[in-house]
């Protein structure tokens, strides 16, 4: 009986804490999905940045904010909210939410030879970049996984731009393709083919 309880896949429930089993996160409520994503995003985004040979590394992803795009809102208003992000094949009333999160990225900058010869202590300094993201996430039916359909970014001195096909969006999709893993999943250590 103990073995059955230990090996049964599914949900772990605490008094006030719910942790979905691996893979269930892709289907979870928007807040659960968003928290799992932002917890794992530094790992997936740093892998993407490393592959692209970027000098930046994600140090921190802020707590996500979720804003539901309510199915109860009038059809005209809902259509205005979603029209820019809905694919042509979308159903008439998909579930959707807007997700806001921030990243703090850092890179080390080496001193130039002239700077280091003038001051032997000069060597490295870090530059940080804080970015704010707005994502539109939707699904056609309640049992479907969530799907990122638009991602925009801005930052200090950076105008809002669409990065739906950028590295951060690729990292989010990679997380989803990996089954929306949670912290501690050993699947992350497997080499990808």
């Amino acid at each position: 009986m103990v073995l059955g309880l230990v090996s049964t896949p599914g949900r772990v429930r605490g008094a006030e804490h719910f942790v979905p089993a691996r893979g269930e996160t892709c289907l979870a409520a928007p807040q659960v999905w968003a928290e799992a994503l932002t917890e794992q995003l530094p790992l997936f985004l740093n892998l993407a940045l490393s592959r692209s040979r970027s000098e930046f590394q994600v140090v921190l992803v802020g707590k996500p904010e979720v804003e539901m795009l309510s199915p109860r809102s009038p059809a005209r208003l809902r259509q205005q909210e979603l029209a820019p992000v809905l694919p042509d094949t979308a159903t008439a009333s998909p579930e959707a939410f807007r997700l806001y999160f921030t990243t703090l990225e850092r890179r080390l900058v080496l001193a130039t030879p002239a700077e280091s010869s003038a001051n032997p202590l000069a060597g490295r300094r870090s530059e940080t970049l804080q970015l704010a993201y707005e994502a539109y996430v939707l699904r056609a039916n309640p049992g479907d996984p969530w799907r990122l359909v638009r991602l925009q970014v801005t930052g200090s001195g950076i105008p809002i731009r669409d990065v739906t096909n950028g590295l951060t969006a690729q990292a989010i999709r990679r997380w989803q393709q990996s089954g929306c893993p949670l912290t501690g999943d050993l699947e992350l250590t497997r080499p990808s083919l």
Side-chain angles (χ1 to χ4, degrees):
M1 182 154 193
V2 172
L3 287 175
L5 291 174
V6 172
S7 64
T8 302
R11 301 171 182 175
V12 177
R13 290 186 189 270
E16 295 179 10
H17 186 68
F18 168 72
V19 178
R22 188 181 190 310
E24 285 185 17
T25 305
C26 292
L27 309 174
Q31 189 65 40
V32 173
W33 185 91
E35 288 174 5
L37 167 69
T38 55
E39 184 178 305
Q40 292 297 310
L41 192 56
L43 172 66
F44 282 85
L45 188 48
N46 282 330
L47 288 171
L49 289 167
S50 176
R51 284 187 201 113
S52 73
R53 300 180 189 253
S54 171
E55 295 177 350
F56 281 94
Q57 181 178 25
V58 176
V59 178
L60 180 70
V61 174
K63 185 170 174 61
E65 292 181 38
V66 171
E67 177 187 331
M68 292 304 297
L69 299 175
S70 173
R72 294 184 185 94
S73 62
R76 195 177 84 240
L77 175 61
R78 184 166 170 74
Q79 194 61 22
Q80 289 171 348
E81 287 178 321
L82 295 177
V85 296
L86 283 175
D88 295 335
T89 58
T91 60
S93 60
E95 289 183 275
F97 65 93
R98 199 172 359 224
L99 169 64
Y100 301 96
F101 64 92
T102 58
T103 62
L104 180 63
E105 300 181 23
R106 181 182 305 150
R107 72 174 177 168
L108 290 176
V109 180
L110 299 176
T112 64
E115 291 172 327
S116 52
S117 66
N119 179 0
L121 297 178
R124 297 181 178 191
R125 68 182 191 281
S126 66
E127 291 180 357
T128 58
L129 176 64
Q130 185 169 359
L131 299 173
Y133 288 89
E134 176 186 49
Y136 285 85
V137 183
L138 63 82
R139 62 182 173 190
N141 301 300
D144 293 344
W146 293 103
R147 194 165 52 100
L148 175 70
V149 292
R150 179 188 271 178
L151 185 65
Q152 295 178 318
V153 67
T154 188
S156 179
I158 301 171
I160 295 175
R161 59 190 166 125
D162 188 302
V163 290
T164 304
N165 296 313
L167 287 177
T168 304
Q170 290 173 23
I172 292 170
R173 291 183 182 111
R174 183 70 158 219
W175 173 75
Q176 290 180 282
Q177 291 166 355
S178 298
C180 306
L182 303 170
T183 300
D185 273 337
L186 296 177
E187 298 294 319
L188 295 176
T189 60
R190 284 189 182 174
S192 59
L193 300 175

